Structures are given as structure tokens and as C-alpha cells.
Amino acid sequence: MVLLFSTDPDGICHIETSGLDGESNLKQKQVVRRYAEQDSEVDPEKFSSRIECESPNNDLNRFRGFLEHSNKERVGLSKENLLLRGCTIRNTEAVMGIVVYAGHETKAMLNNSGPRYKRSKLERRANTDVLWCVLLLAIMCLTGALGHGIWLSRYENIPFFNIPEPDGHTTSPVLAGFYMFWTMIILLQVLIPISLYVSIEIVKLGQIYFIQSDVDFYNEKMGSTVQCRALNITEDLGQIQYLFSDKTGTLTENKMVFRRCSVAGFDYCHEENGEC
């Protein structure tokens, strides 16, 4: 939404974008020039300007366009004049603007790619190998069907390969090749290792049993062991692919622990947290 009015006397608007980029500090948005000098609210029914901006995209840090007034005066628009979907207005009583992107064309919706399904390296490799097996099966069956049709078209009087119907008519080479394709699919379908997936799932069940039975994972304070709630990434446990760091201490814990101190020459210590 392009900001056209704000109750702030300086024509600014404070917003919080924690829902978009995780930042909780407030950001300032500026009312479009010429509208910032107005003391009264903008009347939507009297809005006669024309806005031209770029096509919908997922770039949260860019917005280009211009606003053309009724007197043909053009005012440039930037990201400082745009309120994004998902933002929260703070320290501002009311704002007013005109919507330029709505529905699935907003930047927030274009950045929403949906949930990511976690797959292990073994599962991705197995899926790739099965696809190659399906492609090889299709090539073999298609080759056999074409060869069968070509053979019957050249040697029509071989009853072993082309069994006649009860009325004495024989099947055409094209239809016989079609039947042969599906016959070879049935005969060669063992090429696709369906049992491989069953074997992998059984192995994963064994891994989960040993993980939950490991005494090194037992938590004495909670009185419980580790719980495996998924079967898809057990074989990738312990392998680091991405390492995230944050300066705000999100991944760390600032904790002060009393170990020992000396008061009037007498040493006080904590047996659990320090050595006496």
C-alpha cells in the first residue's frame, strides 16, 4: 500500500516488520511528497492521481514507480513510501493509502514458497535411481514393441508370433506391438526395486530403536530419552550441512552460574558447579 496520509505531523509512519524479516526494531515510512504537507485526511473519493509502478515481484527491498497528479506533475515512489503486507503499525494512530498489490501479488505472498519437505541424501539418491530404472524399463519395452511390430510386418505367415483369431483374421502389426509393449511391462516390472523402499524403512526402524535405547541420550532431569518422531532423516543425524549464527544470542545462552567465592577468608563453593 502506498502511504498517502499519516496522523504524525512529520508525515511518517512507524512499522514493525518482524513478521517479514524477524527484525523487531521500528522502521519509518514516509508519506508521498505533496501529500505530506496536507493537514487534513485524504479523501479517497477525491483521489484523481494516477499511480504507475513495477510488476509484482518478491523483492522486499525494492519498489519503483511514480505518482502522477492531475496537473501532470510526477512524484517518484520508493520503498520508503510502501507499506508491505505483514507489517504492524506502531506509535501511529492512523494511516491512509492506496493498494497497489493485493492477494497473491503481494511481496509477502510471492516470498511464501510453502513448507519445505526434508529428505535425506539416501532418499534423494534412491528416488533418482528408481527414476532411471523406470526410464530404462520404458526404453526396453518400447524397443521390444517396435521390434515385434516390425517383425510381424515383414513375416506375416509365422503363426507362432501372430496367433490368428477364431474367425481366421490375424492381428495387425501395430496392434500386436501395442499388446507386446504392455506384456513386456508386466514381465520386466521387477526391474523397479519396490522392495528396496521396504528394506530401507525396516533399517530405519532399527536405527530408531538403537537411538532411543542409547543411554548417552538419557536426560536425568526430564527422566526420558530422545524421541524420534520422523523416519525420513534418521540416517543423516550428526551431519552438519548449514551453520547459522546470530549476534543477538538466539543460539546461545547467557547464564551466570555460581561456582565459588571467598568471604572474610572463608571459601564458599558449590559442589555441582565448581570444585571445592
Side-chain angles (χ1 to χ4, degrees):
M1 185 179 71
V2 175
L3 185 61
L4 299 180
F5 173 78
S6 175
T7 54
D8 189 274
D10 297 328
I12 61 176
C13 172
H14 298 86
I15 63 172
E16 180 183 346
T17 60
S18 59
L20 296 176
D21 53 12
E23 294 291 339
S24 58
N25 57 318
L26 300 182
K27 299 180 177 61
Q28 290 185 357
K29 295 296 182 178
Q30 185 68 39
V31 176
V32 180
R33 284 185 301 169
R34 184 179 175 185
Y35 285 95
E37 293 80 9
Q38 297 182 5
D39 297 332
S40 60
E41 295 185 6
V42 178
D43 190 357
E45 296 182 355
K46 298 180 180 180
F47 182 81
S48 58
S49 303
R50 184 175 67 91
I51 294 180
E52 184 174 342
C53 57
E54 60 187 2
S55 301
N57 56 77
N58 60 352
D59 193 351
L60 298 175
N61 298 318
R62 189 189 70 176
F63 177 70
R64 297 176 182 176
F66 64 87
L67 186 146
E68 184 178 351
H69 297 287
S70 56
N71 57 357
K72 302 301 180 182
E73 179 187 357
R74 289 188 176 185
V75 177
L77 301 176
S78 64
K79 65 177 182 178
E80 303 299 331
N81 310 122
L82 186 68
L83 299 182
L84 299 177
R85 176 180 177 179
C87 299
T88 305
I89 299 176
R90 301 293 186 188
N91 302 333
T92 306
E93 293 182 2
V95 296
M96 186 176 296
I98 182 171
V99 176
V100 290
Y101 303 128
H104 292 278
E105 294 182 350
T106 58
K107 294 180 180 294
M109 290 295 294
L110 293 176
N111 278 276
N112 185 11
S113 58
R116 179 185 175 186
Y117 180 74
K118 295 182 180 180
R119 291 185 177 91
S120 63
K121 295 180 180 179
L122 178 62
E123 186 177 355
R124 291 195 297 266
R125 181 60 183 271
N127 293 338
T128 303
D129 293 341
V130 169
L131 290 178
W132 280 109
C133 291
V134 172
L135 180 61
L136 180 60
L137 175 64
I139 293 175
M140 294 173 60
C141 296
L142 184 61
T143 303
L146 290 176
H148 184 70
I150 295 173
W151 180 275
L152 293 180
S153 62
R154 292 185 178 181
Y155 306 99
E156 298 180 356
N157 298 324
I158 302 179
F160 180 77
F161 291 98
N162 194 0
I163 301 175
E165 299 292 338
D167 55 358
H169 297 285
T170 58
T171 308
S172 63
V174 177
L175 186 59
F178 177 77
Y179 291 156
M180 180 56 65
F181 176 81
W182 294 107
T183 301
M184 296 192 68
I185 287 285
I186 298 174
L187 295 177
L188 302 178
Q189 52 87 22
V190 294
L191 185 64
I192 301 177
I194 301 299
S195 59
L196 176 64
Y197 285 95
V198 180
S199 301
I200 292 177
E201 294 299 324
I202 294 176
V203 172
K204 289 181 179 180
L205 290 175
Q207 291 177 343
I208 289 178
Y209 172 76
F210 287 112
I211 290 174
Q212 294 181 348
S213 302
D214 196 340
V215 295
D216 294 333
F217 290 148
Y218 180 75
N219 190 342
E220 296 181 356
K221 295 182 179 180
M222 302 295 295
S224 61
T225 60
V226 63
Q227 299 293 327
C228 295
R229 304 183 183 276
L231 291 175
N232 50 357
I233 56 173
T234 55
E235 60 269 21
D236 278 354
L237 293 179
Q239 301 182 19
I240 300 175
Q241 185 176 5
Y242 300 101
L243 181 62
F244 298 94
S245 62
D246 193 356
K247 66 180 182 300
T248 59
T250 305
L251 302 180
T252 61
E253 182 182 7
N254 299 324
K255 185 178 181 181
M256 300 182 64
V257 179
F258 173 76
R259 293 187 179 275
R260 61 190 305 174
C261 69
S262 177
V263 179
F266 189 80
D267 191 11
Y268 296 91
C269 63
H270 197 280
E271 297 181 357
E272 296 183 0
N273 299 329
E275 296 180 358
C276 297

